[in-house]
PDB file of all heavy atoms in Angstrom:
ATOM      1  N   LEU A   1      94.419  93.042 117.924  1.00  0.00           N
ATOM      2  CA  LEU A   1      94.375  94.263 117.138  1.00  0.00           C
ATOM      3  C   LEU A   1      95.630  95.077 117.425  1.00  0.00           C
ATOM      4  O   LEU A   1      96.039  95.234 118.580  1.00  0.00           O
ATOM      5  CB  LEU A   1      93.126  95.076 117.478  1.00  0.00           C
ATOM      6  CG  LEU A   1      91.789  94.460 117.062  1.00  0.00           C
ATOM      7  CD1 LEU A   1      90.627  95.279 117.616  1.00  0.00           C
ATOM      8  CD2 LEU A   1      91.679  94.368 115.537  1.00  0.00           C
ATOM      9  N   TRP A   2      96.227  95.624 116.350  1.00  0.00           N
ATOM     10  CA  TRP A   2      97.486  96.365 116.456  1.00  0.00           C
ATOM     11  C   TRP A   2      97.286  97.793 115.965  1.00  0.00           C
ATOM     12  O   TRP A   2      96.579  98.044 114.984  1.00  0.00           O
ATOM     13  CB  TRP A   2      98.569  95.716 115.601  1.00  0.00           C
ATOM     14  CG  TRP A   2      98.991  94.336 115.996  1.00  0.00           C
ATOM     15  CD1 TRP A   2      98.212  93.208 116.020  1.00  0.00           C
ATOM     16  CD2 TRP A   2     100.298  93.919 116.408  1.00  0.00           C
ATOM     17  NE1 TRP A   2      98.953  92.119 116.420  1.00  0.00           N
ATOM     18  CE2 TRP A   2     100.236  92.523 116.655  1.00  0.00           C
ATOM     19  CE3 TRP A   2     101.509  94.589 116.568  1.00  0.00           C
ATOM     20  CZ2 TRP A   2     101.351  91.797 117.065  1.00  0.00           C
ATOM     21  CZ3 TRP A   2     102.626  93.872 116.980  1.00  0.00           C
ATOM     22  CH2 TRP A   2     102.542  92.486 117.233  1.00  0.00           C
ATOM     23  N   SER A   3      97.966  98.730 116.624  1.00  0.00           N
ATOM     24  CA  SER A   3      98.039 100.104 116.130  1.00  0.00           C
ATOM     25  C   SER A   3      98.990 100.144 114.947  1.00  0.00           C
ATOM     26  O   SER A   3     100.137  99.686 115.043  1.00  0.00           O
ATOM     27  CB  SER A   3      98.548 101.036 117.226  1.00  0.00           C
ATOM     28  OG  SER A   3      98.976 102.267 116.680  1.00  0.00           O
ATOM     29  N   THR A   4      98.529 100.694 113.833  1.00  0.00           N
ATOM     30  CA  THR A   4      99.413 100.794 112.668  1.00  0.00           C
ATOM     31  C   THR A   4     100.440 101.898 112.843  1.00  0.00           C
ATOM     32  O   THR A   4     101.478 101.887 112.185  1.00  0.00           O
ATOM     33  CB  THR A   4      98.605 101.042 111.389  1.00  0.00           C
ATOM     34  OG1 THR A   4      97.833 102.234 111.542  1.00  0.00           O
ATOM     35  CG2 THR A   4      97.681  99.893 111.085  1.00  0.00           C
ATOM     36  N   LEU A   5     100.169 102.884 113.701  1.00  0.00           N
ATOM     37  CA  LEU A   5     101.126 103.961 113.928  1.00  0.00           C
ATOM     38  C   LEU A   5     102.224 103.566 114.912  1.00  0.00           C
ATOM     39  O   LEU A   5     103.367 104.004 114.781  1.00  0.00           O
ATOM     40  CB  LEU A   5     100.404 105.206 114.464  1.00  0.00           C
ATOM     41  CG  LEU A   5      99.565 105.982 113.458  1.00  0.00           C
ATOM     42  CD1 LEU A   5      98.838 107.132 114.145  1.00  0.00           C
ATOM     43  CD2 LEU A   5     100.428 106.527 112.328  1.00  0.00           C
ATOM     44  N   LEU A   6     101.882 102.715 115.875  1.00  0.00           N
ATOM     45  CA  LEU A   6     102.853 102.323 116.891  1.00  0.00           C
ATOM     46  C   LEU A   6     103.493 100.973 116.614  1.00  0.00           C
ATOM     47  O   LEU A   6     104.543 100.658 117.162  1.00  0.00           O
ATOM     48  CB  LEU A   6     102.190 102.276 118.267  1.00  0.00           C
ATOM     49  CG  LEU A   6     101.669 103.600 118.821  1.00  0.00           C
ATOM     50  CD1 LEU A   6     100.940 103.359 120.141  1.00  0.00           C
ATOM     51  CD2 LEU A   6     102.802 104.583 119.015  1.00  0.00           C
ATOM     52  N   GLY A   7     102.825 100.139 115.811  1.00  0.00           N
ATOM     53  CA  GLY A   7     103.355  98.807 115.559  1.00  0.00           C
ATOM     54  C   GLY A   7     103.310  97.928 116.785  1.00  0.00           C
ATOM     55  O   GLY A   7     104.177  97.067 116.983  1.00  0.00           O
ATOM     56  N   LYS A   8     102.282  98.085 117.624  1.00  0.00           N
ATOM     57  CA  LYS A   8     102.182  97.276 118.833  1.00  0.00           C
ATOM     58  C   LYS A   8     100.732  96.879 119.054  1.00  0.00           C
ATOM     59  O   LYS A   8      99.807  97.595 118.632  1.00  0.00           O
ATOM     60  CB  LYS A   8     102.728  98.032 120.043  1.00  0.00           C
ATOM     61  CG  LYS A   8     102.019  99.320 120.341  1.00  0.00           C
ATOM     62  CD  LYS A   8     102.743 100.158 121.394  1.00  0.00           C
ATOM     63  CE  LYS A   8     102.800  99.485 122.732  1.00  0.00           C
ATOM     64  NZ  LYS A   8     103.385 100.365 123.783  1.00  0.00           N
ATOM     65  N   PRO A   9     100.489  95.743 119.710  1.00  0.00           N
ATOM     66  CA  PRO A   9      99.121  95.298 119.966  1.00  0.00           C
ATOM     67  C   PRO A   9      98.453  96.199 120.997  1.00  0.00           C
ATOM     68  O   PRO A   9      99.053  96.551 122.018  1.00  0.00           O
ATOM     69  CB  PRO A   9      99.291  93.876 120.491  1.00  0.00           C
ATOM     70  CG  PRO A   9     100.695  93.815 121.005  1.00  0.00           C
ATOM     71  CD  PRO A   9     101.494  94.767 120.194  1.00  0.00           C
ATOM     72  N   VAL A  10      97.180  96.551 120.731  1.00  0.00           N
ATOM     73  CA  VAL A  10      96.453  97.442 121.638  1.00  0.00           C
ATOM     74  C   VAL A  10      95.195  96.802 122.213  1.00  0.00           C
ATOM     75  O   VAL A  10      94.658  97.289 123.204  1.00  0.00           O
ATOM     76  CB  VAL A  10      96.092  98.770 120.937  1.00  0.00           C
ATOM     77  CG1 VAL A  10      97.342  99.592 120.662  1.00  0.00           C
ATOM     78  CG2 VAL A  10      95.303  98.526 119.652  1.00  0.00           C
ATOM     79  N   ILE A  11      94.697  95.728 121.608  1.00  0.00           N
ATOM     80  CA  ILE A  11      93.559  94.985 122.151  1.00  0.00           C
ATOM     81  C   ILE A  11      93.798  93.499 121.888  1.00  0.00           C
ATOM     82  O   ILE A  11      94.156  93.119 120.774  1.00  0.00           O
ATOM     83  CB  ILE A  11      92.219  95.396 121.497  1.00  0.00           C
ATOM     84  CG1 ILE A  11      91.915  96.868 121.751  1.00  0.00           C
ATOM     85  CG2 ILE A  11      91.065  94.535 122.024  1.00  0.00           C
ATOM     86  CD1 ILE A  11      90.650  97.359 121.050  1.00  0.00           C
ATOM     87  N   GLY A  12      93.598  92.687 122.918  1.00  0.00           N
ATOM     88  CA  GLY A  12      93.655  91.242 122.688  1.00  0.00           C
ATOM     89  C   GLY A  12      94.745  90.520 123.452  1.00  0.00           C
ATOM     90  O   GLY A  12      95.355  91.038 124.396  1.00  0.00           O
ATOM     91  N   GLU A  13      94.985  89.316 123.014  1.00  0.00           N
ATOM     92  CA  GLU A  13      95.871  88.378 123.700  1.00  0.00           C
ATOM     93  C   GLU A  13      97.288  88.902 123.889  1.00  0.00           C
ATOM     94  O   GLU A  13      97.945  88.628 124.899  1.00  0.00           O
ATOM     95  CB  GLU A  13      95.906  87.070 122.891  1.00  0.00           C
ATOM     96  CG  GLU A  13      96.886  86.026 123.353  1.00  0.00           C
ATOM     97  CD  GLU A  13      96.957  84.858 122.384  1.00  0.00           C
ATOM     98  OE1 GLU A  13      95.905  84.467 121.841  1.00  0.00           O
ATOM     99  OE2 GLU A  13      98.062  84.328 122.174  1.00  0.00           O
ATOM    100  N   LEU A  14      97.787  89.671 122.908  1.00  0.00           N
ATOM    101  CA  LEU A  14      99.194  90.071 122.936  1.00  0.00           C
ATOM    102  C   LEU A  14      99.456  91.359 123.706  1.00  0.00           C
ATOM    103  O   LEU A  14     100.611  91.764 123.852  1.00  0.00           O
ATOM    104  CB  LEU A  14      99.719  90.214 121.499  1.00  0.00           C
ATOM    105  CG  LEU A  14      99.736  88.933 120.665  1.00  0.00           C
ATOM    106  CD1 LEU A  14     100.300  89.207 119.281  1.00  0.00           C
ATOM    107  CD2 LEU A  14     100.537  87.838 121.363  1.00  0.00           C
ATOM    108  N   VAL A  15      98.402  92.023 124.181  1.00  0.00           N
ATOM    109  CA  VAL A  15      98.605  93.247 124.959  1.00  0.00           C
ATOM    110  C   VAL A  15      99.410  92.921 126.215  1.00  0.00           C
ATOM    111  O   VAL A  15      99.104  91.973 126.935  1.00  0.00           O
ATOM    112  CB  VAL A  15      97.251  93.882 125.336  1.00  0.00           C
ATOM    113  CG1 VAL A  15      97.456  95.011 126.346  1.00  0.00           C
ATOM    114  CG2 VAL A  15      96.554  94.408 124.100  1.00  0.00           C
ATOM    115  N   GLY A  16     100.451  93.682 126.457  1.00  0.00           N
ATOM    116  CA  GLY A  16     101.306  93.440 127.610  1.00  0.00           C
ATOM    117  C   GLY A  16     102.413  92.440 127.358  1.00  0.00           C
ATOM    118  O   GLY A  16     103.213  92.168 128.254  1.00  0.00           O
ATOM    119  N   SER A  17     102.495  91.922 126.133  1.00  0.00           N
ATOM    120  CA  SER A  17     103.523  90.922 125.800  1.00  0.00           C
ATOM    121  C   SER A  17     104.887  91.549 125.570  1.00  0.00           C
ATOM    122  O   SER A  17     105.902  90.844 125.551  1.00  0.00           O
ATOM    123  CB  SER A  17     103.111  90.149 124.545  1.00  0.00           C
ATOM    124  OG  SER A  17     103.073  91.020 123.407  1.00  0.00           O
ATOM    125  N   GLY A  18     104.916  92.857 125.379  1.00  0.00           N
ATOM    126  CA  GLY A  18     106.171  93.527 125.058  1.00  0.00           C
ATOM    127  C   GLY A  18     106.531  93.471 123.594  1.00  0.00           C
ATOM    128  O   GLY A  18     107.561  94.026 123.174  1.00  0.00           O
ATOM    129  N   LEU A  19     105.691  92.830 122.787  1.00  0.00           N
ATOM    130  CA  LEU A  19     105.973  92.743 121.363  1.00  0.00           C
ATOM    131  C   LEU A  19     105.791  94.103 120.693  1.00  0.00           C
ATOM    132  O   LEU A  19     104.847  94.843 120.987  1.00  0.00           O
ATOM    133  CB  LEU A  19     105.057  91.726 120.691  1.00  0.00           C
ATOM    134  CG  LEU A  19     105.264  90.260 121.081  1.00  0.00           C
ATOM    135  CD1 LEU A  19     104.266  89.370 120.344  1.00  0.00           C
ATOM    136  CD2 LEU A  19     106.691  89.818 120.770  1.00  0.00           C
ATOM    137  N   LYS A  20     106.682  94.420 119.793  1.00  0.00           N
ATOM    138  CA  LYS A  20     106.614  95.668 119.040  1.00  0.00           C
ATOM    139  C   LYS A  20     107.299  95.458 117.698  1.00  0.00           C
ATOM    140  O   LYS A  20     108.433  94.968 117.627  1.00  0.00           O
ATOM    141  CB  LYS A  20     107.293  96.796 119.804  1.00  0.00           C
ATOM    142  CG  LYS A  20     107.389  98.113 119.044  1.00  0.00           C
ATOM    143  CD  LYS A  20     108.123  99.157 119.870  1.00  0.00           C
ATOM    144  CE  LYS A  20     108.441 100.383 119.042  1.00  0.00           C
ATOM    145  NZ  LYS A  20     109.350 100.090 117.912  1.00  0.00           N
ATOM    146  N   LEU A  21     106.597  95.794 116.637  1.00  0.00           N
ATOM    147  CA  LEU A  21     107.163  95.638 115.301  1.00  0.00           C
ATOM    148  C   LEU A  21     108.278  96.658 115.071  1.00  0.00           C
ATOM    149  O   LEU A  21     108.209  97.793 115.559  1.00  0.00           O
ATOM    150  CB  LEU A  21     106.083  95.829 114.244  1.00  0.00           C
ATOM    151  CG  LEU A  21     104.933  94.813 114.261  1.00  0.00           C
ATOM    152  CD1 LEU A  21     103.835  95.248 113.305  1.00  0.00           C
ATOM    153  CD2 LEU A  21     105.439  93.429 113.893  1.00  0.00           C
ATOM    154  N   GLU A  22     109.279  96.265 114.315  1.00  0.00           N
ATOM    155  CA  GLU A  22     110.398  97.154 114.017  1.00  0.00           C
ATOM    156  C   GLU A  22     110.097  97.975 112.766  1.00  0.00           C
ATOM    157  O   GLU A  22     109.812  97.434 111.705  1.00  0.00           O
ATOM    158  CB  GLU A  22     111.676  96.341 113.812  1.00  0.00           C
ATOM    159  CG  GLU A  22     112.903  97.199 113.547  1.00  0.00           C
ATOM    160  CD  GLU A  22     114.157  96.373 113.307  1.00  0.00           C
ATOM    161  OE1 GLU A  22     114.119  95.152 113.562  1.00  0.00           O
ATOM    162  OE2 GLU A  22     115.171  96.955 112.863  1.00  0.00           O
ATOM    163  N   PHE A  23     110.183  99.306 112.921  1.00  0.00           N
ATOM    164  CA  PHE A  23     109.989 100.204 111.790  1.00  0.00           C
ATOM    165  C   PHE A  23     111.108 100.030 110.767  1.00  0.00           C
ATOM    166  O   PHE A  23     112.258  99.744 111.118  1.00  0.00           O
ATOM    167  CB  PHE A  23     110.022 101.666 112.251  1.00  0.00           C
ATOM    168  CG  PHE A  23     108.872 102.107 113.092  1.00  0.00           C
ATOM    169  CD1 PHE A  23     108.975 102.138 114.470  1.00  0.00           C
ATOM    170  CD2 PHE A  23     107.692 102.534 112.511  1.00  0.00           C
ATOM    171  CE1 PHE A  23     107.927 102.565 115.265  1.00  0.00           C
ATOM    172  CE2 PHE A  23     106.632 102.964 113.291  1.00  0.00           C
ATOM    173  CZ  PHE A  23     106.747 102.980 114.664  1.00  0.00           C
ATOM    174  N   LEU A  24     110.788 100.262 109.518  1.00  0.00           N
ATOM    175  CA  LEU A  24     111.780 100.334 108.454  1.00  0.00           C
ATOM    176  C   LEU A  24     111.691 101.709 107.797  1.00  0.00           C
ATOM    177  O   LEU A  24     110.603 102.286 107.687  1.00  0.00           O
ATOM    178  CB  LEU A  24     111.529  99.250 107.398  1.00  0.00           C
ATOM    179  CG  LEU A  24     111.807  97.815 107.840  1.00  0.00           C
ATOM    180  CD1 LEU A  24     111.143  96.830 106.887  1.00  0.00           C
ATOM    181  CD2 LEU A  24     113.304  97.563 107.901  1.00  0.00           C
ATOM    182  N   PRO A  25     112.808 102.274 107.344  1.00  0.00           N
ATOM    183  CA  PRO A  25     112.754 103.579 106.685  1.00  0.00           C
ATOM    184  C   PRO A  25     112.016 103.487 105.341  1.00  0.00           C
ATOM    185  O   PRO A  25     112.161 102.515 104.602  1.00  0.00           O
ATOM    186  CB  PRO A  25     114.222 103.945 106.473  1.00  0.00           C
ATOM    187  CG  PRO A  25     114.990 103.068 107.413  1.00  0.00           C
ATOM    188  CD  PRO A  25     114.196 101.804 107.517  1.00  0.00           C
ATOM    189  N   ILE A  26     111.225 104.505 105.059  1.00  0.00           N
ATOM    190  CA  ILE A  26     110.497 104.591 103.799  1.00  0.00           C
ATOM    191  C   ILE A  26     110.520 106.044 103.350  1.00  0.00           C
ATOM    192  O   ILE A  26     110.756 106.953 104.158  1.00  0.00           O
ATOM    193  CB  ILE A  26     109.044 104.094 103.970  1.00  0.00           C
ATOM    194  CG1 ILE A  26     108.391 103.829 102.612  1.00  0.00           C
ATOM    195  CG2 ILE A  26     108.218 105.058 104.812  1.00  0.00           C
ATOM    196  CD1 ILE A  26     107.061 103.108 102.699  1.00  0.00           C
ATOM    197  N   VAL A  27     110.306 106.271 102.083  1.00  0.00           N
ATOM    198  CA  VAL A  27     110.275 107.636 101.572  1.00  0.00           C
ATOM    199  C   VAL A  27     109.070 107.797 100.654  1.00  0.00           C
ATOM    200  O   VAL A  27     108.754 106.904  99.855  1.00  0.00           O
ATOM    201  CB  VAL A  27     111.587 107.992 100.838  1.00  0.00           C
ATOM    202  CG1 VAL A  27     111.764 107.157  99.585  1.00  0.00           C
ATOM    203  CG2 VAL A  27     111.642 109.470 100.511  1.00  0.00           C
ATOM    204  N   THR A  28     108.363 108.911 100.818  1.00  0.00           N
ATOM    205  CA  THR A  28     107.280 109.269  99.905  1.00  0.00           C
ATOM    206  C   THR A  28     107.861 110.221  98.881  1.00  0.00           C
ATOM    207  O   THR A  28     108.372 111.293  99.237  1.00  0.00           O
ATOM    208  CB  THR A  28     106.120 109.948 100.663  1.00  0.00           C
ATOM    209  OG1 THR A  28     105.619 109.043 101.653  1.00  0.00           O
ATOM    210  CG2 THR A  28     104.997 110.313  99.708  1.00  0.00           C
ATOM    211  N   THR A  29     107.802 109.851  97.614  1.00  0.00           N
ATOM    212  CA  THR A  29     108.466 110.632  96.582  1.00  0.00           C
ATOM    213  C   THR A  29     107.740 110.473  95.254  1.00  0.00           C
ATOM    214  O   THR A  29     106.624 109.958  95.204  1.00  0.00           O
ATOM    215  CB  THR A  29     109.950 110.208  96.479  1.00  0.00           C
ATOM    216  OG1 THR A  29     110.631 111.077  95.564  1.00  0.00           O
ATOM    217  CG2 THR A  29     110.098 108.764  96.034  1.00  0.00           C
ATOM    218  N   ARG A  30     108.382 110.917  94.197  1.00  0.00           N
ATOM    219  CA  ARG A  30     107.838 110.781  92.841  1.00  0.00           C
ATOM    220  C   ARG A  30     108.578 109.665  92.111  1.00  0.00           C
ATOM    221  O   ARG A  30     109.767 109.431  92.344  1.00  0.00           O
ATOM    222  CB  ARG A  30     107.966 112.096  92.065  1.00  0.00           C
ATOM    223  CG  ARG A  30     107.303 113.292  92.755  1.00  0.00           C
ATOM    224  CD  ARG A  30     105.806 113.215  92.672  1.00  0.00           C
ATOM    225  NE  ARG A  30     105.156 114.302  93.420  1.00  0.00           N
ATOM    226  CZ  ARG A  30     103.851 114.537  93.426  1.00  0.00           C
ATOM    227  NH1 ARG A  30     103.050 113.735  92.734  1.00  0.00           N
ATOM    228  NH2 ARG A  30     103.329 115.525  94.125  1.00  0.00           N
ATOM    229  N   TRP A  31     107.872 109.007  91.229  1.00  0.00           N
ATOM    230  CA  TRP A  31     108.445 107.878  90.517  1.00  0.00           C
ATOM    231  C   TRP A  31     109.729 108.274  89.787  1.00  0.00           C
ATOM    232  O   TRP A  31     110.722 107.544  89.820  1.00  0.00           O
ATOM    233  CB  TRP A  31     107.425 107.307  89.550  1.00  0.00           C
ATOM    234  CG  TRP A  31     107.953 106.297  88.571  1.00  0.00           C
ATOM    235  CD1 TRP A  31     107.928 106.380  87.214  1.00  0.00           C
ATOM    236  CD2 TRP A  31     108.568 105.032  88.870  1.00  0.00           C
ATOM    237  NE1 TRP A  31     108.476 105.260  86.640  1.00  0.00           N
ATOM    238  CE2 TRP A  31     108.878 104.409  87.642  1.00  0.00           C
ATOM    239  CE3 TRP A  31     108.875 104.374  90.049  1.00  0.00           C
ATOM    240  CZ2 TRP A  31     109.493 103.164  87.560  1.00  0.00           C
ATOM    241  CZ3 TRP A  31     109.498 103.128  89.971  1.00  0.00           C
ATOM    242  CH2 TRP A  31     109.789 102.538  88.748  1.00  0.00           C
ATOM    243  N   GLY A  32     109.742 109.439  89.147  1.00  0.00           N
ATOM    244  CA  GLY A  32     110.928 109.861  88.412  1.00  0.00           C
ATOM    245  C   GLY A  32     112.140 109.993  89.318  1.00  0.00           C
ATOM    246  O   GLY A  32     113.254 109.586  88.960  1.00  0.00           O
ATOM    247  N   ASP A  33     111.939 110.561  90.503  1.00  0.00           N
ATOM    248  CA  ASP A  33     113.034 110.737  91.455  1.00  0.00           C
ATOM    249  C   ASP A  33     113.521 109.388  91.970  1.00  0.00           C
ATOM    250  O   ASP A  33     114.725 109.130  92.041  1.00  0.00           O
ATOM    251  CB  ASP A  33     112.555 111.615  92.613  1.00  0.00           C
ATOM    252  CG  ASP A  33     113.636 111.873  93.647  1.00  0.00           C
ATOM    253  OD1 ASP A  33     114.662 112.485  93.289  1.00  0.00           O
ATOM    254  OD2 ASP A  33     113.460 111.456  94.815  1.00  0.00           O
ATOM    255  N   TRP A  34     112.589 108.501  92.320  1.00  0.00           N
ATOM    256  CA  TRP A  34     112.970 107.186  92.845  1.00  0.00           C
ATOM    257  C   TRP A  34     113.687 106.361  91.783  1.00  0.00           C
ATOM    258  O   TRP A  34     114.715 105.732  92.065  1.00  0.00           O
ATOM    259  CB  TRP A  34     111.731 106.451  93.345  1.00  0.00           C
ATOM    260  CG  TRP A  34     112.024 105.086  93.898  1.00  0.00           C
ATOM    261  CD1 TRP A  34     111.833 103.883  93.276  1.00  0.00           C
ATOM    262  CD2 TRP A  34     112.577 104.793  95.191  1.00  0.00           C
ATOM    263  NE1 TRP A  34     112.227 102.854  94.107  1.00  0.00           N
ATOM    264  CE2 TRP A  34     112.683 103.386  95.281  1.00  0.00           C
ATOM    265  CE3 TRP A  34     112.978 105.578  96.270  1.00  0.00           C
ATOM    266  CZ2 TRP A  34     113.187 102.749  96.419  1.00  0.00           C
ATOM    267  CZ3 TRP A  34     113.472 104.941  97.408  1.00  0.00           C
ATOM    268  CH2 TRP A  34     113.581 103.543  97.469  1.00  0.00           C
ATOM    269  N   LYS A  35     113.173 106.383  90.570  1.00  0.00           N
ATOM    270  CA  LYS A  35     113.775 105.604  89.481  1.00  0.00           C
ATOM    271  C   LYS A  35     115.170 106.117  89.151  1.00  0.00           C
ATOM    272  O   LYS A  35     116.079 105.325  88.831  1.00  0.00           O
ATOM    273  CB  LYS A  35     112.865 105.693  88.255  1.00  0.00           C
ATOM    274  CG  LYS A  35     113.330 104.903  87.051  1.00  0.00           C
ATOM    275  CD  LYS A  35     112.297 104.966  85.936  1.00  0.00           C
ATOM    276  CE  LYS A  35     112.007 106.399  85.532  1.00  0.00           C
ATOM    277  NZ  LYS A  35     111.112 106.474  84.349  1.00  0.00           N
ATOM    278  N   SER A  36     115.366 107.434  89.231  1.00  0.00           N
ATOM    279  CA  SER A  36     116.684 108.008  88.962  1.00  0.00           C
ATOM    280  C   SER A  36     117.704 107.571  90.004  1.00  0.00           C
ATOM    281  O   SER A  36     118.853 107.264  89.674  1.00  0.00           O
ATOM    282  CB  SER A  36     116.584 109.537  88.941  1.00  0.00           C
ATOM    283  OG  SER A  36     117.855 110.130  88.814  1.00  0.00           O
ATOM    284  N   ARG A  37     117.274 107.531  91.258  1.00  0.00           N
ATOM    285  CA  ARG A  37     118.176 107.120  92.328  1.00  0.00           C
ATOM    286  C   ARG A  37     118.411 105.615  92.338  1.00  0.00           C
ATOM    287  O   ARG A  37     119.459 105.141  92.792  1.00  0.00           O
ATOM    288  CB  ARG A  37     117.604 107.540  93.680  1.00  0.00           C
ATOM    289  CG  ARG A  37     117.682 109.030  93.960  1.00  0.00           C
ATOM    290  CD  ARG A  37     116.932 109.413  95.228  1.00  0.00           C
ATOM    291  NE  ARG A  37     117.185 110.794  95.582  1.00  0.00           N
ATOM    292  CZ  ARG A  37     118.138 111.212  96.414  1.00  0.00           C
ATOM    293  NH1 ARG A  37     118.915 110.310  96.985  1.00  0.00           N
ATOM    294  NH2 ARG A  37     118.313 112.489  96.684  1.00  0.00           N
ATOM    295  N   HIS A  38     117.416 104.864  91.893  1.00  0.00           N
ATOM    296  CA  HIS A  38     117.483 103.401  91.932  1.00  0.00           C
ATOM    297  C   HIS A  38     117.101 102.835  90.552  1.00  0.00           C
ATOM    298  O   HIS A  38     116.001 102.313  90.371  1.00  0.00           O
ATOM    299  CB  HIS A  38     116.541 102.858  93.009  1.00  0.00           C
ATOM    300  CG  HIS A  38     116.822 103.388  94.381  1.00  0.00           C
ATOM    301  ND1 HIS A  38     117.829 102.888  95.176  1.00  0.00           N
ATOM    302  CD2 HIS A  38     116.236 104.387  95.096  1.00  0.00           C
ATOM    303  CE1 HIS A  38     117.848 103.549  96.330  1.00  0.00           C
ATOM    304  NE2 HIS A  38     116.894 104.462  96.298  1.00  0.00           N
ATOM    305  N   PRO A  39     117.983 102.940  89.584  1.00  0.00           N
ATOM    306  CA  PRO A  39     117.640 102.469  88.232  1.00  0.00           C
ATOM    307  C   PRO A  39     117.311 100.980  88.164  1.00  0.00           C
ATOM    308  O   PRO A  39     116.641 100.531  87.233  1.00  0.00           O
ATOM    309  CB  PRO A  39     118.900 102.797  87.411  1.00  0.00           C
ATOM    310  CG  PRO A  39     119.985 103.004  88.421  1.00  0.00           C
ATOM    311  CD  PRO A  39     119.332 103.519  89.651  1.00  0.00           C
ATOM    312  N   ASP A  40     117.774 100.220  89.168  1.00  0.00           N
ATOM    313  CA  ASP A  40     117.486  98.779  89.184  1.00  0.00           C
ATOM    314  C   ASP A  40     116.232  98.459  90.011  1.00  0.00           C
ATOM    315  O   ASP A  40     115.960  97.294  90.312  1.00  0.00           O
ATOM    316  CB  ASP A  40     118.669  97.998  89.744  1.00  0.00           C
ATOM    317  CG  ASP A  40     119.052  98.442  91.150  1.00  0.00           C
ATOM    318  OD1 ASP A  40     118.573  99.514  91.596  1.00  0.00           O
ATOM    319  OD2 ASP A  40     119.842  97.729  91.822  1.00  0.00           O
ATOM    320  N   THR A  41     115.470  99.480  90.377  1.00  0.00           N
ATOM    321  CA  THR A  41     114.288  99.259  91.204  1.00  0.00           C
ATOM    322  C   THR A  41     113.234  98.441  90.480  1.00  0.00           C
ATOM    323  O   THR A  41     113.167  98.417  89.241  1.00  0.00           O
ATOM    324  CB  THR A  41     113.669 100.596  91.638  1.00  0.00           C
ATOM    325  OG1 THR A  41     112.631 100.357  92.598  1.00  0.00           O
ATOM    326  CG2 THR A  41     113.037 101.324  90.447  1.00  0.00           C
TER     327      THR A  41
END
C-alpha cells in the first residue's frame, strides 16, 4: 500500500526499501486557459 500524497509505500513488502515515486508538475486550471497555452494539446 502506497501513500498517494507522499508517493511511497507505507504498508507491506516495500516499506523500508527506500523506493519513492518521482513527482511531476501538474496544474489545475480551466480548459480554455490550458487550450490557449497548448493549442496542440
Side-chain angles (χ1 to χ4, degrees):
L1 292 173
W2 296 62
S3 164
T4 58
L5 287 176
L6 296 175
K8 60 190 296 186
V10 291
I11 298 176
E13 173 187 322
L14 296 181
V15 170
S17 65
L19 293 179
K20 175 182 170 297
L21 297 171
E22 182 182 348
F23 291 97
L24 290 163
I26 195 170
V27 65
T28 300
T29 186
R30 304 287 176 174
W31 169 240
D33 181 62
W34 180 259
K35 182 175 57 174
S36 174
R37 287 172 171 267
H38 302 280
D40 58 347
T41 188

